[in-house]
Amino acid sequence: MITFFSTQHALHAPVWEFYRGQRVPCFESPARAQFVHAELLARGHAIRAPEVDSTPLLAQVHAPRYLAFLASAWAEWQGLSGGQATLQPFPSVWPVRSLRSDVEPANFTAKLGLYSMDNGTPLDAGTWAAAKEGADAATSAVDLLAQGQVRSAFCATRPPGHHAGPDFMGGYCFLNNAAVAAQAFLQQGCERVAVLDVDYHHGNGTQSIFYRRSDVLVVSLHGDPQTEYPFYLGHADETGEGPGQGFNLNLPLAAGTPAAAWFDALDLACERITRFGAQALVVSLGLDTYAEDPISTFALQPEDFLRLGQRLARLKIPSVFVLEGGYAAAALGSNAVNVLEGFEQG
């Protein structure tokens, strides 16, 4: 399977984050993509750099003022911090409930809070370049499929994207690569596109982007938000609004869910995608469902990721896989390529 690899991903390399009240090294690190890249090469998969500019599609997925903030945030922060690149900005105030979010404040920390859903998504000097190239990879993958040369492609990019909403970042995510790919399929003439999110954490950003639309079906199986991040979205009763009613399916699962129950939920997801009549599929390929992931609690083993790819192949839909979470970095490459090779065998 052809892979679009983000050559600039390592430019996004914040040193630390907050986790359970502690300052800890970032779980979402350049090593994640490096392990995937090494495994792809070891198993003989073709790797390309992104080729298509995603700028027009980004404007269809994300709010203009949010994109403008992301592109300029580090420079603005450096002006305030005296150019000390080792200082990482974090939000400390958010416009919850009765507070206004329609007016962008001039204060940088307040702006950062306006566009953040958490304080666990650190910025650094290369964040915009790395995130933008991830969106370029998603656009390039869809363009390749539209040429009719292949039926699938993989975007080995970071930072991930599925927690990024129309006008906010969160969960290590800044630009929503899966949403960009879905929008690109529509631009290429598809009338019905499905997004399947198999990350341990609910793709709240993707749901938010398409929640009132019927041309994109969003299906997610994930840890129950009663106990798992992102907590405030991902419940089973969230089925869409207005024109999008019935085009959002959440399948929340209890912490510790074994592989057999997880695959039962995957079958339900695949059945819904088939009924929808999807002409293209975007897979938010989170691999933090792995049993040894440090921040998740599902129980999938390496061979289960091969089975995941095989099951998705049975849908017989042109598919773009977009790398999302997965923080057992040393195993990430093997697990990711297992999915791709399972798909190719199907």
Side-chain angles (χ1 to χ4, degrees):
M1 185 182 298
I2 292 174
T3 292
F4 289 91
F5 183 75
S6 176
T7 58
Q8 299 191 75
H9 79 88
L11 296 178
H12 174 69
V15 177
W16 57 276
E17 64 174 281
F18 291 109
Y19 181 68
R20 295 179 178 172
Q22 300 293 317
R23 177 172 150 165
V24 300
C26 286
F27 289 104
E28 205 292 291
S29 69
R32 298 176 64 246
Q34 291 161 3
F35 279 114
V36 175
H37 186 269
E39 189 71 16
L40 287 163
L41 288 178
R43 298 207 214 173
H45 289 265
I47 300 175
R48 300 184 185 181
E51 303 160 349
V52 183
D53 182 11
S54 62
T55 298
L57 288 163
L58 285 175
Q60 298 174 41
V61 169
H62 294 290
R65 73 174 190 176
Y66 172 62
L67 294 172
F69 171 75
L70 282 182
S72 62
W74 187 256
E76 185 174 355
W77 168 247
Q78 287 296 283
L80 294 173
S81 66
Q84 298 184 56
T86 57
L87 296 177
Q88 292 179 202
F90 287 91
S92 58
V93 61
W94 290 266
V96 299
R97 285 173 278 284
S98 63
L99 302 181
R100 291 183 65 176
S101 60
D102 60 316
V103 178
E104 183 183 72
N107 179 279
F108 176 81
T109 301
K111 276 195 287 191
L112 187 57
L114 176 66
Y115 297 121
S116 299
M117 63 172 280
D118 58 29
N119 74 340
T121 307
L123 290 160
D124 78 349
T127 297
W128 171 252
K132 170 62 165 55
E133 194 178 44
D136 292 347
T139 308
S140 300
V142 173
D143 186 71
L144 181 67
L145 266 66
Q147 297 172 25
Q149 300 177 21
V150 296
R151 70 178 184 124
S152 62
F154 175 45
C155 301
T157 56
R158 55 166 297 277
H162 70 148
H163 294 304
D167 59 355
F168 61 84
M169 66 185 79
Y172 309 134
C173 302
F174 302 90
L175 298 175
N176 196 309
N177 302 320
V180 168
Q183 191 67 29
F185 272 124
L186 295 170
Q187 292 286 102
Q188 293 285 358
C190 291
E191 296 179 350
R192 295 178 303 282
V193 179
V195 178
L196 173 63
D197 194 322
V198 296
D199 193 280
Y200 180 82
H201 304 96
H202 176 251
N204 60 288
T206 310
Q207 174 173 311
S208 297
I209 289 167
F210 297 116
Y211 203 58
R212 294 185 58 84
R213 291 172 54 172
S214 60
D215 53 353
V216 177
L217 170 71
V218 177
V219 182
S220 178
L221 49 154
H222 51 266
D224 191 333
Q226 287 280 8
T227 60
E228 309 303 313
Y229 183 93
F231 305 112
Y232 307 112
L233 215 61
H235 298 279
D237 64 352
E238 298 158 10
T239 57
E241 288 181 352
Q245 179 62 48
F247 294 94
N248 192 86
L249 174 62
N250 286 328
L251 299 166
L253 301 168
T257 291
W262 190 88
F263 276 99
D264 287 343
L266 179 65
D267 282 338
L268 292 175
C270 291
E271 289 165 8
R272 179 67 185 94
I273 291 168
T274 298
R275 292 198 308 274
F276 176 62
Q279 298 163 310
L281 175 66
V282 179
V283 181
S284 272
L285 187 59
L287 297 156
D288 43 4
T289 51
Y290 178 48
E292 296 183 23
D293 194 274
I295 61 174
S296 307
T297 68
F298 286 170
L300 272 64
Q301 298 294 332
E303 60 271 19
D304 291 319
F305 294 107
L306 189 72
R307 181 181 170 190
L308 167 59
Q310 293 168 341
R311 179 63 183 92
L312 297 182
R314 286 163 48 194
L315 292 170
K316 300 189 182 303
I317 305 172
S319 301
V320 167
F321 294 81
V322 179
L323 184 64
E324 301 285 4
Y327 306 102
L332 186 63
S334 177
N335 290 339
V337 180
N338 279 356
V339 176
L340 306 184
E341 294 188 346
F343 186 87
E344 291 181 320
Q345 293 168 11

